[in-house]
Amino acid sequence: MTDTPSYLFYQSRNPRPFLDHGEGIYLFDEAGKRYIDGSSGAMVSNIGHANPRVLAKMKAQMDKATFGYRLHFRTHPSEDLAAKTVAMTPEGLDRVFFVSGGSEAVESAVKLARQYALTQGQGTRYKVISRFPSYHGCTFGALDLTGYDPLREPFAPMMEGMPKVAAPATYLDRDNLTEEARGLKYAELLRDRIVEQGPETVLAFVMEPVGGASTGALVAPDSYYARVREICDEFGVLLIYDEVMTGAGRTGKFLAAEHWGITPDIVALSKGFGAGYAPLGAIVAGARLVEPVLDAGGFLHGFTYAGNPLACAAGLAVLEELEEQDLIGNAARMGKVLMGELRALMDRYPFIGDVRGKGLLTAFEFVADRRTMEPLDPLLNAHERLVELAYQRGLIIYSRRTRGGKAGDHFLVAPPLIITRDQIAEMMLILRDALDAFAAEIGWPVESAA
Ligand SMILES: Cc1ncc(COP(=O)(O)O)c(C=O)c1O
């Protein structure tokens, strides 16, 4: 019951119904109402809910040991998951460090980068450049890299204030450049920032290869990725890919980096890596970085639950499921279907200004005017309102403000990678119904053609 007293708090009070159970792409509340998990929670439940094979493997591990401290024992689940992770990531990324979530993964990546720099006699390097908008987590280190004003502002005096560059939001550009040239233009912003800061002070650049919560599945032009890699190499700046949301198959490759043939220096994983079966994350880096740190006395960092055997057994079972059910291939195939359906919405709803994404990480953005891409009036609170209308109708999607958190509304549609064509059609019916209701509320006629 929603009126049961609660002693819990999150970002706000929680008016939602109690969850009863999940099954595949569906969640059921205690009243028996069914919801399509159109955002995999927060882009987490990549293999769907209550996968019986994963649960059986977790149960088998539970019967043996649920915890064994990493300083006291090696465990097979953690060794096997590390080996599997290395096998699934591009060559050159062959050392794994486990954590329990995305913010921890990002912080771990940055601290590994720093310790590596120290081993190279480059103690002057400490600045980590990131993009605006972006999301990298909510702990202080990760928050300082995050480009989303409402989350940062209260804590700004307590952080270093790491340098930012504009995220490549080329869909807002009104210049005459080709996409290729725009990609290079945004990459040059990174070069300019490194030069301005003093290359000897810059440790790393961190980016989401496909944007997540803060940009809404932003994909840069192809030219951007290779040029950013070149620029980092030119100045000895480490390239960190935050694949917390994009990793583990979400975009139709195990790492989004593979779409562009990029090998980052360090990759952060979480979300789909444990896929909601266990709090789990990892960083994956090359031995080239890790071995000197171990030789110099070790990585001065670690969390109590790192490499927890139960979490790792879950993660291993998730990766096996991805392979055995070809879920990464399904993400690529169904991503195309979903993207086509979302693009078709633009014929009916003039307030949808952009549709973007990769694989099953897709998003659409509302605008007041497609020509200028001016956002809707922030007071409409459209990002919350449409989510609510969809929720009432049994569809869960995920939204945020787009333009750094102050204005703009985007919606992530990122269902579990097991979704079928029929289930996409089912999801779209509810989404259209919610969009119709939203259009009626703001008094905006829809085009009847679609
Ligand atoms: C790209 C990215 N990095 C880091 C995080 C932080 O992860 P967590 O909330 O598990 O700490 C998130 C979470 O949304 C994310 O999307």
Side-chain angles (χ1 to χ4, degrees):
M1 297 290 292
T2 47
D3 52 4
T4 306
S6 177
Y7 301 95
L8 249 179
F9 73 100
Y10 298 107
Q11 280 99 330
S12 57
R13 296 190 182 86
N14 192 354
R16 294 298 190 202
F18 279 98
L19 174 65
D20 187 68
H21 68 282
E23 196 184 312
I25 68 159
Y26 303 105
L27 291 165
F28 297 81
D29 70 19
E30 282 188 338
K33 181 174 165 184
R34 195 189 77 169
Y35 305 78
I36 296 180
D37 192 359
S39 61
S40 308
M43 284 59 75
V44 171
S45 301
N46 283 9
I47 64 161
H49 300 277
N51 180 300
R53 289 173 295 276
V54 174
L55 297 179
K57 288 174 184 170
M58 290 176 72
K59 177 71 174 39
Q61 180 58 42
M62 261 187 240
D63 289 339
K64 295 178 92 175
T66 52
F67 188 77
Y69 191 50
R70 65 192 143 80
L71 297 185
H72 302 154
F73 294 100
R74 293 171 77 179
T75 69
H76 284 293
S78 58
E79 291 289 351
D80 294 349
L81 177 58
K84 184 100 198 143
T85 306
V86 167
M88 292 178 84
T89 49
E91 213 174 309
L93 294 166
D94 51 6
R95 292 290 184 278
V96 179
F97 176 88
F98 288 121
V99 297
S100 304
S103 304
E104 287 184 8
V106 169
E107 303 241 349
S108 303
V110 168
K111 288 178 77 175
L112 177 65
R114 169 71 185 164
Q115 272 199 257
Y116 169 71
L118 290 174
T119 66
Q120 303 303 297
Q122 299 187 349
T124 55
R125 292 189 188 264
Y126 70 97
K127 294 175 188 165
V128 181
I129 301 177
S130 60
R131 308 193 308 192
F132 185 89
S134 63
Y135 189 75
H136 296 291
C138 63
T139 50
F140 275 110
L143 182 62
D144 204 4
L145 305 176
T146 289
Y148 196 80
D149 289 340
L151 293 174
R152 286 184 59 88
E153 277 167 359
F155 309 102
M158 303 166 78
M159 298 186 290
E160 169 84 18
M162 289 291 178
K164 302 281 177 294
V165 289
T170 60
Y171 68 101
L172 299 175
D173 289 349
R174 291 295 174 267
D175 51 33
N176 291 322
L177 298 177
T178 60
E179 273 298 280
E180 171 85 7
R182 283 183 183 152
L184 297 176
K185 179 188 83 178
Y186 280 94
E188 289 315 309
L189 297 180
L190 171 62
R191 195 177 189 286
D192 294 347
R193 185 68 79 238
I194 293 173
V195 170
E196 172 215 278
Q197 294 289 323
E200 71 289 352
T201 69
V202 180
L203 177 67
F205 174 57
V206 60
M207 56 176 264
E208 300 156 273
V210 177
S214 291
T215 57
L218 183 74
V219 184
D222 289 340
S223 55
Y224 179 81
Y225 296 87
R227 183 68 189 127
V228 162
R229 177 71 269 187
E230 263 174 30
I231 291 168
C232 288
D233 289 344
E234 179 186 352
F235 293 105
V237 168
L238 294 173
L239 177 59
I240 301 174
Y241 266 27
D242 179 350
E243 297 234 19
V244 165
M245 190 180 289
T246 53
R250 165 70 43 200
T251 69
K253 302 269 188 198
F254 184 72
L255 294 186
E258 295 169 53
H259 291 290
W260 297 279
I262 302 295
T263 306
D265 296 297
I266 311 178
V267 175
L269 293 169
S270 189
K271 293 190 183 272
F273 191 57
Y277 289 84
L280 184 64
I283 57 170
V284 194
R288 176 180 78 80
L289 263 68
V290 174
E291 295 301 326
V293 171
L294 296 180
D295 290 342
F299 190 23
L300 300 170
H301 181 68
F303 301 96
T304 299
Y305 278 99
N308 170 257
L310 178 56
C312 289
L316 181 61
V318 166
L319 297 193
E320 285 167 353
E321 204 60 13
L322 286 180
E323 270 188 350
E324 284 160 24
Q325 308 300 319
D326 185 28
L327 296 183
I328 301 180
N330 197 56
R333 289 185 294 275
M334 290 304 113
K336 289 204 176 89
V337 175
L338 178 57
M339 191 71 97
E341 294 278 350
L342 292 175
R343 289 222 167 99
L345 293 177
M346 291 184 78
D347 296 337
R348 182 169 171 83
Y349 305 103
F351 49 85
I352 297 184
D354 193 49
V355 171
R356 52 183 179 262
K358 198 104 188 151
L360 280 172
L361 183 57
T362 68
F364 58 93
E365 181 174 336
F366 281 175
V367 293
D369 181 340
R370 273 188 196 164
R371 208 173 27 85
T372 61
M373 296 300 273
E374 184 197 330
L376 286 183
D377 180 353
L379 293 177
L380 284 175
N381 240 354
H383 67 294
E384 284 180 8
R385 190 61 196 142
L386 180 71
V387 165
E388 203 50 43
L389 291 166
Y391 192 90
Q392 286 165 9
R393 288 161 175 76
L395 171 64
I396 299 172
I397 55 173
Y398 189 100
S399 73
R400 281 277 179 88
R401 287 223 186 271
T402 309
R403 319 272 171 97
K406 293 272 162 64
D409 309 88
H410 64 255
F411 303 87
L412 284 151
V413 185
L417 315 187
I418 55 171
I419 198 163
T420 64
R421 209 175 270 270
D422 286 351
Q423 288 171 329
I424 289 177
E426 195 185 344
M427 185 168 76
M428 292 307 297
L429 269 182
I430 306 178
L431 182 57
R432 271 193 292 274
D433 191 35
L435 283 163
D436 281 349
F438 177 77
E441 278 187 10
I442 63 169
W444 206 328
V446 298
E447 310 292 332
S448 54

Short mmCIF file of all heavy atoms in Angstrom, two decimals, residues 101-104 106 135-138 208 212-213 242 244-245 270-271 398, ligand 1:
data_model
loop_
_atom_site.label_atom_id
_atom_site.label_comp_id
_atom_site.label_asym_id
_atom_site.label_seq_id
_atom_site.Cartn_x
_atom_site.Cartn_y
_atom_site.Cartn_z
N GLY A 101 29.62 -0.45 -7.37
CA GLY A 101 28.70 0.46 -8.06
C GLY A 101 29.45 1.39 -9.00
O GLY A 101 30.70 1.36 -9.07
N GLY A 102 28.70 2.23 -9.69
CA GLY A 102 29.27 3.07 -10.73
C GLY A 102 30.14 4.20 -10.21
O GLY A 102 31.22 4.47 -10.75
N SER A 103 29.70 4.88 -9.15
CA SER A 103 30.51 5.98 -8.60
C SER A 103 31.84 5.43 -8.10
O SER A 103 32.90 6.03 -8.31
CB SER A 103 29.78 6.67 -7.44
OG SER A 103 28.51 7.13 -7.85
N GLU A 104 31.78 4.27 -7.45
CA GLU A 104 33.01 3.63 -6.97
C GLU A 104 33.92 3.29 -8.14
O GLU A 104 35.15 3.40 -8.03
CB GLU A 104 32.68 2.33 -6.21
CG GLU A 104 32.07 2.55 -4.84
CD GLU A 104 31.86 1.23 -4.09
OE1 GLU A 104 32.31 0.17 -4.56
OE2 GLU A 104 31.22 1.27 -3.03
N VAL A 106 34.14 4.83 -11.07
CA VAL A 106 34.73 6.05 -11.62
C VAL A 106 35.85 6.55 -10.71
O VAL A 106 36.95 6.90 -11.16
CB VAL A 106 33.64 7.13 -11.83
CG1 VAL A 106 34.25 8.48 -12.15
CG2 VAL A 106 32.68 6.68 -12.95
N TYR A 135 27.25 12.63 -16.63
CA TYR A 135 26.99 12.07 -15.30
C TYR A 135 28.01 11.00 -14.99
O TYR A 135 28.16 10.05 -15.78
CB TYR A 135 25.56 11.50 -15.16
CG TYR A 135 25.28 11.15 -13.72
CD1 TYR A 135 25.03 12.14 -12.77
CD2 TYR A 135 25.33 9.84 -13.28
CE1 TYR A 135 24.83 11.82 -11.44
CE2 TYR A 135 25.13 9.51 -11.93
CZ TYR A 135 24.88 10.52 -11.02
OH TYR A 135 24.69 10.21 -9.69
N HIS A 136 28.70 11.15 -13.88
CA HIS A 136 29.70 10.15 -13.50
C HIS A 136 29.53 9.64 -12.08
O HIS A 136 30.37 8.88 -11.61
CB HIS A 136 31.11 10.73 -13.68
CG HIS A 136 31.43 11.07 -15.11
ND1 HIS A 136 31.60 10.11 -16.08
CD2 HIS A 136 31.56 12.26 -15.74
CE1 HIS A 136 31.85 10.69 -17.26
NE2 HIS A 136 31.83 12.00 -17.08
N GLY A 137 28.47 10.08 -11.39
CA GLY A 137 28.24 9.56 -10.06
C GLY A 137 28.07 10.66 -9.03
O GLY A 137 28.21 11.85 -9.35
N CYS A 138 27.79 10.27 -7.80
CA CYS A 138 27.39 11.26 -6.80
C CYS A 138 28.32 11.35 -5.60
O CYS A 138 28.12 12.19 -4.74
CB CYS A 138 25.96 10.97 -6.35
SG CYS A 138 25.85 9.38 -5.55
N GLU A 208 31.61 9.58 -21.27
CA GLU A 208 30.67 8.50 -21.56
C GLU A 208 30.63 8.35 -23.07
O GLU A 208 30.26 9.30 -23.76
CB GLU A 208 29.28 8.87 -21.06
CG GLU A 208 29.16 9.15 -19.57
CD GLU A 208 27.97 10.06 -19.25
OE1 GLU A 208 28.12 11.30 -19.30
OE2 GLU A 208 26.89 9.53 -18.97
N GLY A 212 24.60 9.31 -21.04
CA GLY A 212 23.60 8.63 -20.23
C GLY A 212 22.55 9.59 -19.72
O GLY A 212 21.94 10.34 -20.49
N ALA A 213 22.41 9.62 -18.39
CA ALA A 213 21.32 10.37 -17.78
C ALA A 213 21.34 11.86 -18.12
O ALA A 213 20.29 12.45 -18.36
CB ALA A 213 21.39 10.17 -16.26
N ASP A 242 33.85 6.04 -19.22
CA ASP A 242 32.85 5.68 -18.21
C ASP A 242 31.75 4.89 -18.94
O ASP A 242 30.86 5.48 -19.54
CB ASP A 242 32.30 6.94 -17.54
CG ASP A 242 31.24 6.61 -16.49
OD1 ASP A 242 30.81 5.43 -16.43
OD2 ASP A 242 30.84 7.52 -15.74
N VAL A 244 29.76 2.80 -17.40
CA VAL A 244 28.87 2.30 -16.35
C VAL A 244 27.49 2.01 -16.94
O VAL A 244 26.87 0.98 -16.63
CB VAL A 244 28.81 3.33 -15.19
CG1 VAL A 244 27.65 3.06 -14.25
CG2 VAL A 244 30.13 3.30 -14.41
N MET A 245 27.00 2.90 -17.80
CA MET A 245 25.68 2.68 -18.40
C MET A 245 25.79 1.94 -19.74
O MET A 245 24.96 1.11 -20.08
CB MET A 245 24.96 4.01 -18.59
CG MET A 245 23.51 3.83 -18.99
SD MET A 245 22.64 5.38 -19.22
CE MET A 245 22.49 6.01 -17.56
N SER A 270 29.53 -0.90 -14.48
CA SER A 270 28.65 -1.27 -13.35
C SER A 270 27.28 -1.58 -13.96
O SER A 270 27.23 -2.24 -14.98
CB SER A 270 28.61 -0.16 -12.31
OG SER A 270 27.92 -0.60 -11.16
N LYS A 271 26.21 -1.08 -13.39
CA LYS A 271 24.86 -1.27 -13.92
C LYS A 271 24.64 -2.63 -14.59
O LYS A 271 24.49 -3.63 -13.89
CB LYS A 271 24.52 -0.11 -14.86
CG LYS A 271 24.39 1.23 -14.10
CD LYS A 271 23.83 2.31 -14.96
CE LYS A 271 23.76 3.66 -14.28
NZ LYS A 271 22.54 3.90 -13.51
N TYR A 398 12.74 6.73 -18.22
CA TYR A 398 13.65 7.46 -17.32
C TYR A 398 13.92 8.84 -17.91
O TYR A 398 14.19 8.95 -19.10
CB TYR A 398 14.95 6.67 -17.23
CG TYR A 398 15.94 7.13 -16.20
CD1 TYR A 398 16.05 6.48 -14.98
CD2 TYR A 398 16.81 8.19 -16.46
CE1 TYR A 398 16.99 6.87 -14.03
CE2 TYR A 398 17.75 8.59 -15.51
CZ TYR A 398 17.83 7.93 -14.31
OH TYR A 398 18.76 8.31 -13.39
C1 LIG B 1 27.76 6.92 -16.77
C2 LIG B 1 27.56 6.74 -15.30
N1 LIG B 1 28.62 6.77 -14.48
C3 LIG B 1 28.49 6.60 -13.15
C4 LIG B 1 27.26 6.40 -12.57
C5 LIG B 1 27.15 6.24 -11.10
O1 LIG B 1 26.75 4.94 -10.77
P1 LIG B 1 26.14 4.60 -9.34
O2 LIG B 1 24.82 5.29 -9.26
O3 LIG B 1 26.02 3.09 -9.37
O4 LIG B 1 27.11 5.05 -8.31
C6 LIG B 1 26.12 6.36 -13.39
C7 LIG B 1 24.78 6.18 -12.80
O5 LIG B 1 23.78 6.54 -13.35
C8 LIG B 1 26.28 6.54 -14.78
O6 LIG B 1 25.23 6.51 -15.61
#
